[in-house]
């Protein structure tokens, strides 16, 4: 009877060629996604007011953003 916070990350690929791999990282609160990073899009996207505020803050950190974009390669 409390709050439920979780996150998950996943690499999705459709062939043996890993160049089309997509890295997705979701942050969830009470089972709803509030912010997501998708390597195809290349930046954070917020889905709630709190998520939008976090996405704007995280997207301004270019060094960290480059690290997340490279995560699909690792």
């Amino acid at each position: 009877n409390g709050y439920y916070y979780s996150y998950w990350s996943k690499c999705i690929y459709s062939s043996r060629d890993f160049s089309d791999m997509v890295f997705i990282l979701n942050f969830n609160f009470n089972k709803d996604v509030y912010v997501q990073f998708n390597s195809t899009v290349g930046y954070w996207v917020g889905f709630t007011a709190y998520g939008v505020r976090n996405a704007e803050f995280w997207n301004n950190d270019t060094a960290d953003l480059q690290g997340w974009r490279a995560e699909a390669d690792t």
Side-chain angles (χ1 to χ4, degrees), residues 8-50:
W8 61 262
S9 61
K10 183 185 282 188
C11 285
I12 301 171
Y13 55 94
S14 59
S15 67
R16 291 181 185 238
D17 180 21
F18 294 126
S19 64
D20 64 345
M21 185 178 299
V22 177
F23 172 74
I24 299 174
L25 175 62
N26 281 340
F27 286 99
N28 307 305
F29 182 72
N30 286 346
K31 299 182 182 179
D32 292 325
V33 176
Y34 68 90
V35 68
Q36 179 185 69
F37 180 82
N38 185 326
S39 64
T40 303
V41 176
Y43 55 87
W44 292 94
V45 177
F47 297 105
T48 65
Y50 180 65

